[in-house]
Amino acid sequence: MPHDPVTVQAETDDAASSTETTVVSGIQPSGQLHLGNYFGAIRQHIALHDQHESYFFIVNYHALTSVQDNALLEAYTMDVATTYLALGFDPEASHLFIQSDVPEVTELAWIFYNLIPVSRLELGVSYKEKVERGMTPNAGLLNYPVLQAADILIYGGTLVPVGADQKQHIEMTRDLAQKFNSTFCPDDAPLFPMPEPLILDDVAVVPGIDGQKMSKSYGNTIGLFDEGKTLKKKVMSIVTDSTPLDAPKDPDACNVFALIKLFASDARRAEIAANYRAGGYGYGHAKKELLGMIDDYFGEARERYYDLKDRPDYVRDILREGGKQARAQARAYMARVREAVGLVTTYE
Ligand code: TYM
């Protein structure tokens, strides 16, 4: 039952059963966070952040591949942090920070560039998609998965909670860890662990209002803290077929039901599915139900979000502290990496 924090905890704990677990994950500050980000990733981040050693970062270097406006990048960066705190992230229990506060990741990425063929990077999903659409991808986009591997491995990450669209990136991360270890480390002393993705089946791909994967770049998102008219307009525009109100309907073929499933308890979900099948229950009814569920689910967090938005210095202090701790860890790892590679360091 995806809405239940206890179940999320159990599922994530299953995946994170080792005492050596280090949870890492990142999120791009490239626009308003949406239901796909939340159910696919952030909810698992919040469920795990106080259970294990963990690092959650706002990947502003990655976002540069698409956001090239300094005021926007800064605003989106602060927005991600504010959202995590509003959703219950406890900064005392884990590290929440900005990627560029640990510039060592770019150094590790540079080392990794030398361990992966360009032809492999050309198979990257986002890169390929741009090429296929006739666009000219920048070198940042081509190299994006290598920086992501550095993000994960520089903290010794072993478990990476993400949505299904990140699967390929975690595979590349594993390959880079393996390649680095076999190239530079003795067999019995590998430097990097093999990270595992944590992708929960029922939320691996959250659909948007048009039924495709919910994504900022498709313009089909419902924002986490959308409310009032904006929220209503989006929910009412979810694409449905033209089955008449009286006719029975298949819940599993309906975009509205796909979103209802994210919020409803098992019992409520079964009831609504039965309503669909019985007929006399229209898509308008389902949309109204969904609207109420979104409002209830995020209402309190939304209030905290607006409260925190008025306290940017507080949010910045948390990010600064998280960055300091993460950087100390990254530097310690990089000292070992440099030694393994043979990069002579002449300073203390
Ligand atoms: P990003 O910023 O696109 O998305 C953040 C997280 O949200 C998940 N997600 C979804 N899950 C299910 N359904 C959807 N419709 C949906 N849309 C987004 C994503 O899978 C992701 O987990 N490359 C990453 C950021 C990154 C990262 C990392 C992640 C950089 N370094 C290191 C993990 C570890 C990205 O672009 O996510």
Side-chain angles (χ1 to χ4, degrees), residues 26 28 36-37 40-41 144 148 151 162-163 165-166 203-204 206 213-214:
Q28 289 199 64
N37 296 132
Y144 183 111
Q148 181 158 347
D151 282 336
V162 283
D165 59 356
Q166 299 301 310
V203 288
V206 173
K213 184 191 101 164
M214 188 175 287

Side-chain angles (χ1 to χ4, degrees), residues 276-291:
Y276 266 78
R277 294 194 181 97
Y281 182 83
Y283 293 125
H285 293 123
K287 286 177 179 178
K288 232 172 128 187
E289 183 103 29
L290 174 62
L291 192 59

Side-chain angles (χ1 to χ4, degrees), residues 6-19:
V6 177
T7 313
V8 173
Q9 197 66 66
E11 283 182 64
T12 47
D13 279 355
D14 258 6
S17 52
S18 148
T19 48

Side-chain angles (χ1 to χ4, degrees), residues 223 225-236 291 294-295 302 306:
F225 301 135
D226 279 345
E227 60 182 325
K229 277 190 190 152
T230 310
L231 178 62
K232 189 168 179 193
K233 198 168 155 211
K234 288 188 183 176
V235 170
M236 291 305 158
L291 192 59
I294 298 175
D295 246 344
R302 191 163 58 214
Y306 284 114

